[in-house]
Amino acid sequence: MDVSIAGAHGQIARRLARLLTERGDTVRGLIRNPAHVNDLRADGSEPVVIDIESASTAALAQAIDGTDAVVFAAGAGPGSGAERKLTVDRDGAIKMLDAAVHAGVTRYVIVSSIGTESPPDGDDVFSVYLRAKAEADAAVIQSDRDWTVVRPGSLTDDPGTGRARIQAKPIRDEVSRDDVAEVLAAVLAEPRSARLTLYVVAGDEPIAEALATLLP
């Protein structure tokens, strides 16, 4: 499989790229900062320098042309203000979705967050972030792509266990970035995970088995 990852220098994205390349997939990593090129190459992915915020839909479509799937793992990141939560986490995801349509890429996986199912109304940055993610998720879910929305719990840097709790109903708990990356890799390998919204937290069940229980 040939996979494009938007936000490819992010912590989950880099873990995912290593998992995919280790199993023989090809990864195209979309990054804004040219200084991150060597990091991506070290992960085994092919870097593509493009700014999702400023690039046109046509330019993004060209960047992902020929791939089998897009993973949107980009985000404004900690320390960014409310405005960039909207321009990256919401608008960037929707623009990348439009690019997938233009490029004929049918598979679209978005890394979301717990809390987007009922985002708060406040003006604080975290509330704006959750609303931005919720609006991006809604656009993806309403699209004609073979989408999967992955909503992990609170992220940790604990070593991965290869196990998780995956369910269709909201659940609040922690989960390691390693295990979220493994869930994303499993989702990409399983076409039946399309059109599912998955909540992911730490658990005792092997990830492949936990995912299989939700497949149609």
Side-chain angles (χ1 to χ4, degrees):
M1 176 179 284
D2 190 333
V3 181
S4 288
I5 303 177
H9 198 260
Q11 295 185 68
I12 291 174
R14 292 192 67 189
R15 288 167 165 86
L16 174 60
R18 291 192 288 267
L19 289 173
L20 294 177
T21 56
E22 284 169 7
R23 76 182 186 192
D25 293 333
T26 300
V27 177
R28 201 178 304 182
L30 278 59
I31 50 173
R32 179 170 58 97
N33 190 342
H36 295 156
V37 162
N38 289 336
D39 288 342
L40 264 63
R41 287 182 174 148
D43 295 335
S45 59
E46 180 59 35
V48 178
V49 178
I50 188 167
D51 187 342
I52 294 171
E53 284 181 277
S54 61
S56 66
T57 299
L60 289 173
Q62 184 175 10
I64 64 173
D65 185 51
T67 55
D68 302 304
V70 170
V71 177
F72 188 86
S80 59
E83 183 178 351
R84 292 202 70 231
K85 303 302 184 189
L86 299 176
T87 58
V88 179
D89 294 88
R90 182 192 66 188
D91 300 345
I94 295 171
K95 191 192 295 185
M96 184 59 70
L97 177 66
D98 291 340
V101 173
H102 282 279
V105 181
T106 57
R107 192 74 169 100
Y108 194 95
V109 177
I110 185 168
V111 182
S112 184
S113 173
I114 185 71
T116 53
E117 70 282 350
S118 55
D121 295 328
D123 293 330
D124 60 287
V125 173
F126 188 65
S127 295
V128 174
Y129 164 75
L130 287 178
R131 290 202 302 276
K133 297 294 284 185
E135 290 173 24
D137 289 358
V140 170
I141 290 168
Q142 292 164 12
S143 76
D144 64 353
R145 301 296 91 184
D146 293 331
W147 54 266
T148 306
V149 176
V150 177
R151 292 175 173 169
S154 300
L155 297 170
T156 75
D157 288 323
D158 295 338
T161 64
R163 297 172 179 271
R165 182 175 178 183
I166 306 174
Q167 61 184 54
K169 294 182 179 180
I171 180 172
R172 294 184 180 275
D173 204 343
E174 294 184 339
V175 63
S176 74
R177 290 178 171 86
D178 284 347
D179 289 330
V180 174
E182 189 168 338
V183 169
L184 292 169
V187 161
L188 286 166
E190 179 48 83
R192 290 179 298 166
S193 66
R195 300 193 170 273
L196 294 179
T197 298
L198 306 174
Y199 291 87
V200 181
V201 296
D204 298 323
E205 195 170 8
I207 284 171
E209 295 178 17
L211 177 61
T213 61
L214 294 176
L215 299 178

